[in-house]
Amino acid sequence: MQRKGGRGKHGEEFDVEAVLDELYTTPPPGFVARREELAAAARTAGRAEDSRRIRAARRPTLAAWAANLLLRREPGDSRRLLELGEGLREAYRTLDPAALKDLSAQRRRIVAVLARQAARLAEEAGHRLSAAAQQEVSATLHAVLADPGAAQQWAAGRLTGALDPPSEFLSSGPDAATATARPKATRTAGRPAKKPAKAGTSPVPEDELAERRRVRQEQLAKARAAAEEAERRLRDRREEAAEAQESLTRAGDRRDEARREVEAAERRLHTAREALEEADRTGREAEERHRSATDARTAAEREARAAAQEVRRLEGRTRRGE
């Protein structure tokens, strides 16, 4: 691993951004294990802050992972999608009917193509996308076209969940935009005249209806945001629970291994003690034999000296003729 401008404690370069880019193209089932491996490598390299950043990374959904994979593996098509989004949003801002008609057709075509490419890349990586996941990928690509914030998120390549496009963007097309660009009189032409209000009632002003719709849209947007945040928290809690279970399993494995090592050490100690007792016994027997042999040697030496003296005495008497 490398980090531009930073070095580990052994002097090697370390690029935490490249590490995170790699992590978010890792299939979700292997995300947590790979994250722990990369965080441990950063910690070993002396990059404690980078290790914390890596460990804080959240596992993406299958659809978000496929969208990240598409961005990394198909950079040319991804760049064209981002450029198309800029042009499409500009056409909506300027209410250019001709541009909207052309760009909207391109939008449908490129989203369909890229959604299929994402599904193919996911399958090649060993994970087939369900129909629901493919719809989430398509929704994410529509969001990239409609919302500059969504485009920026996807361009970072680290989505953790699917993105939702604005509802009015999906429901609107070149015809709707053209209608928006026409004068108000043209939009009402050909429609039956409004019925007169009933006696005793007052028609609701259009601006009040628009305000009500705006309030409802805001409430709906807040509710959706709250639901997405709740879903994100749920995914986080599930991921934390999975990580805790993995840690518990690893701790149990380490405990079992330590117990086996202790049992093996106790067996070796018992065997060593038996060997020591046998060596002590053999040593005592050897010492006893050594003492006995020493005593026998001493007695034999005395006997030999006495015999030698007797020989010398007898030889002397013989020479004297006694």
Side-chain angles (χ1 to χ4, degrees):
M1 295 186 297
Q2 293 184 340
R3 179 179 184 176
K4 297 175 182 177
R7 290 184 178 273
K9 62 182 180 180
H10 300 299
E12 67 275 14
E13 291 187 356
F14 190 91
D15 186 350
V16 68
E17 301 301 333
V19 168
L20 289 170
D21 289 343
E22 176 203 338
L23 181 59
Y24 276 97
T25 57
T26 300
F31 183 90
V32 172
R34 182 57 176 158
R35 182 187 64 192
E36 294 304 306
E37 179 184 350
L38 293 171
R43 189 169 55 253
T44 301
R47 312 297 303 185
E49 179 60 30
D50 292 338
S51 178
R52 284 191 289 272
R53 282 191 63 192
I54 295 168
R55 196 176 296 278
R58 293 303 178 189
R59 176 170 47 194
T61 64
L62 200 61
W65 163 71
N68 293 334
L69 199 62
L70 175 68
L71 178 79
R72 299 297 178 192
R73 301 291 172 80
E74 301 292 345
D77 289 339
S78 299
R79 184 172 59 255
R80 282 191 288 275
L81 181 72
L82 293 169
E83 292 172 351
L84 175 62
E86 293 176 358
L88 192 58
R89 292 190 297 272
E90 178 63 23
Y92 269 95
R93 280 192 296 270
T94 59
L95 299 176
D96 184 342
L100 279 172
K101 182 176 181 180
D102 179 55
L103 293 173
S104 295
Q106 293 184 46
R107 179 193 74 185
R108 290 188 292 271
R109 184 168 58 253
I110 193 169
V111 166
V113 170
L114 292 185
R116 286 194 298 270
Q117 288 181 352
R120 174 182 56 78
L121 291 170
E123 186 169 1
E124 289 175 354
H127 299 276
R128 181 187 294 272
L129 296 185
S130 65
Q134 291 184 44
Q135 289 177 356
E136 289 182 351
V137 172
S138 296
T140 296
L141 298 178
H142 279 297
V144 169
L145 290 171
D147 182 4
Q152 187 175 8
Q153 289 183 59
W154 181 61
R158 301 174 190 172
L159 294 180
T160 57
L163 303 175
D164 292 323
S167 58
E168 63 272 16
F169 180 81
L170 286 179
S171 61
S172 61
D175 296 335
T178 303
T180 304
R182 292 172 186 157
K184 187 176 294 184
T186 304
R187 289 202 302 271
T188 58
R191 293 183 182 177
K194 291 184 179 179
K195 295 181 180 180
K198 293 181 180 179
T201 63
S202 300
V204 179
E206 289 188 7
D207 57 350
E208 183 176 340
L209 291 175
E211 177 63 17
R212 289 178 182 177
R213 285 194 295 270
R214 186 189 66 78
V215 171
R216 284 196 297 271
Q217 287 292 337
E218 289 182 353
Q219 292 172 341
L220 177 59
K222 290 179 180 179
R224 284 175 174 171
E228 290 174 0
E229 180 60 26
E231 179 64 25
R232 186 177 301 109
R233 287 196 298 269
L234 176 60
R235 288 198 303 269
D236 291 345
R237 299 296 86 78
R238 285 174 175 170
E239 182 178 339
E240 290 171 0
E243 292 172 2
Q245 181 60 46
E246 290 176 3
S247 298
L248 178 61
T249 301
R250 288 195 297 269
D253 292 341
R254 289 195 297 268
R255 181 185 58 199
D256 293 341
E257 179 63 23
R259 182 182 296 112
R260 287 192 293 270
E261 291 178 356
V262 168
E263 291 173 353
E266 288 176 345
R267 288 194 297 270
R268 290 194 298 271
L269 178 60
H270 180 71
T271 301
R273 283 176 174 168
E274 289 182 342
L276 177 60
E277 291 175 358
E278 178 63 24
D280 287 342
R281 186 169 52 254
T282 302
R284 288 192 298 271
E285 292 175 354
E287 288 175 355
E288 183 63 30
R289 288 194 300 271
H290 179 265
R291 284 194 298 271
S292 297
T294 300
D295 293 344
R297 184 190 64 188
T298 302
E301 287 174 346
R302 285 197 302 268
E303 290 176 359
R305 285 195 298 271
Q309 289 174 358
E310 181 63 20
V311 168
R312 287 194 296 274
R313 186 183 66 79
L314 292 175
E315 287 178 346
R317 292 181 63 184
T318 301
R319 284 194 298 271
R320 292 193 299 270
E322 295 180 357

